[in-house]
Amino acid sequence: MLILECPYCGVHAEETELHGGGEAHLTRHGPESSDQDFEGYLFQRENPRGVHFERWRHVHGCGKWFHAARCTATLEVFGTYSAQTSEPPQHIRDRISAKRPGWSWRELA
Amino acid sequence: MSEPVSALNAAAFDGLAHVQEAGLHGMITLRGDHADADFAQAVADVAGVAMPDQREVVSGGDTSLIWMSPDELLLLCPYAEAGETVTKLTEALGDTHALAVDVSDARVVFTLTGTHIRDVIAKLAPVDMSPAAFRPGMVRRTRFAQVAAAVWLRDDETAQIICFRSVAPYMFALLCNAATPGTEVGIF
Ligand SMILES: [Zn+2]
């Protein structure tokens, strides 16, 4: 059972109160973009065994979207953070580095 | 004018807890940034109670102000006063980026009373109902089985539950089932 702390209402919500929103920090490419960028935005996703960044929504709660950093292999949660950011904050990265030295995800490490 | 009626016409059930459809309530959804001093002041002035902190309910007389999210509140008041209160709120909020909407007829309120209310709620919602974790004056938005709901404790033996009116019969059936006599779990 996955339990994530919603950064907006402070509730430690278990998985059935939440809705998964897929991979975090995607750059949206729309009608003006190249075909290659648009294809990447639609279809290219990470599929890591280990550190991963995701979007979640506290759907049966305050209704807010937020971000979560967790390990896909162990379900360990490194932390949750605001939706109003395009990259994980430093304190989350530091926490991951402490627990998974040498981790990488896309261009992050 | 037609006579307004509540969802289940004050249906009641006696079991582990007393389950009561609590009749008509005035309910006003307020959207606005709680951190905005103008918004907070206007709401507190009209409601006549203080702004609640995160996941708290502030009550005074027959008014309650409930924290729903960082930019949402629910104001409970007498049913007959809801329309007038929305008008007052809209005036008081002025140019503030905010919204006040009368949702009285879109929701239903249930009251649970008795010594086993924590048992009954814990069977239905993924919430730590221990007295140390969930105290009177706190509110929790969550799900009861398959439907969204908000629950708070008025005191240790009185809980209030709000859900959409369209699922009132489902919620009543859930609560009655969870309150079936002889099914106390007894961990609280
Ligand atoms: Zn939340």
Side-chain angles (χ1 to χ4, degrees), chain A residues 73-91:
Chain A
T74 65
L75 291 192
E76 179 175 4
V77 177
F78 304 115
T80 55
Y81 52 99
S82 164
Q84 277 72 44
T85 176
S86 54
E87 56 178 43
Q90 195 58 47
H91 74 276

Side-chain angles (χ1 to χ4, degrees), chain A residues 84-101:
Chain A
Q84 277 72 44
T85 176
S86 54
E87 56 178 43
Q90 195 58 47
H91 74 276
I92 296 281
R93 294 194 215 186
D94 291 346
R95 214 174 296 162
I96 297 170
S97 295
K99 297 191 166 182
R100 299 287 189 281

Side-chain angles (χ1 to χ4, degrees), chain B residues 46-129:
Chain B
V46 175
V49 294
M51 279 285 285
D53 285 332
Q54 187 184 55
R55 299 200 315 279
E56 286 190 345
V57 180
V58 179
S59 298
D62 39 25
T63 299
S64 291
L65 198 50
I66 306 169
W67 193 96
M68 301 294 269
S69 88
D71 57 5
E72 183 178 352
L73 296 159
L74 186 68
L75 176 63
L76 254 63
C77 65
Y79 183 82
E81 293 172 17
E84 191 190 332
T85 305
V86 168
T87 307
K88 282 186 197 162
L89 281 164
T90 305
E91 277 170 21
L93 289 165
D95 291 336
T96 314
H97 183 62
L99 193 66
V101 179
D102 182 356
V103 295
S104 307
D105 297 310
R107 312 271 170 93
V108 59
V109 183
F110 290 93
T111 305
L112 278 184
T113 45
T115 51
H116 293 294
I117 57 171
R118 290 177 186 274
D119 266 22
V120 173
I121 297 167
K123 288 183 195 178
L124 299 169
V127 176
D128 182 353
M129 287 305 297

